[in-house]
């Protein structure tokens, strides 16, 4: 499992990525903290097109962070967030 710390490392990679277009992080236990790191990276990444964040213990806080990043991120065309604990 990658966890939040691994999410932080991946986020740093995504900030400078110029080749990865699809990233599968299903069941990595990123949690809201890891999603916060990834959301910051998504704001500047210009390459990623598909992202799978299924089953990562994301709750409302992480979903809000992700949604805010997606208002800036225009190249992402596919996002999977199934299996998380999202609510109103």
């Amino acid at each position: 499992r990658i966890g939040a710390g691994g999410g932080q490392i991946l986020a740093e990679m995504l900030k400078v990525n110029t080749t990865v277009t699809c990233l599968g992080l299903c069941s990595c236990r990123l949690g809201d903290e890891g999603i916060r790191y990834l959301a910051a990276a998504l704001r500047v990444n210009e390459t990623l097109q598909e992202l799978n964040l299924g089953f990562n213990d994301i709750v409302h806080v992480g979903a809000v962070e992700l949604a805010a990043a997606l208002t800036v991120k225009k190249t992402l065309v596919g996002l999977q967030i199934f299996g998380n604990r999202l609510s109103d």
Side-chain angles (χ1 to χ4, degrees):
R1 310 274 155 104
I2 293 174
Q8 183 177 15
I9 293 167
L10 281 171
E12 292 304 314
M13 180 274 307
L14 282 175
K15 287 179 182 178
V16 297
N17 168 57
T18 60
T19 56
V20 176
T21 59
C22 181
L23 184 60
L25 297 173
C26 190
S27 299
C28 288
R29 293 190 181 181
L30 295 169
D32 288 335
E33 184 180 355
I35 294 302
R36 187 175 302 117
Y37 295 125
L38 287 175
L42 287 176
R43 287 181 174 92
V44 297
N45 177 281
E46 297 178 358
T47 311
L48 196 64
Q49 297 174 6
E50 296 186 37
L51 180 60
N52 183 338
L53 296 172
F55 298 99
N56 270 290
D57 300 322
I58 303 168
V59 295
H60 180 74
V61 174
V64 169
E65 291 278 342
L66 194 55
L70 294 177
T71 62
V72 176
K73 176 72 176 158
K74 303 300 180 188
T75 59
L76 194 69
V77 295
L79 174 66
Q80 289 92 41
I81 56 171
F82 55 87
N84 289 289
R85 298 174 290 142
L86 306 176
S87 62
D88 296 335

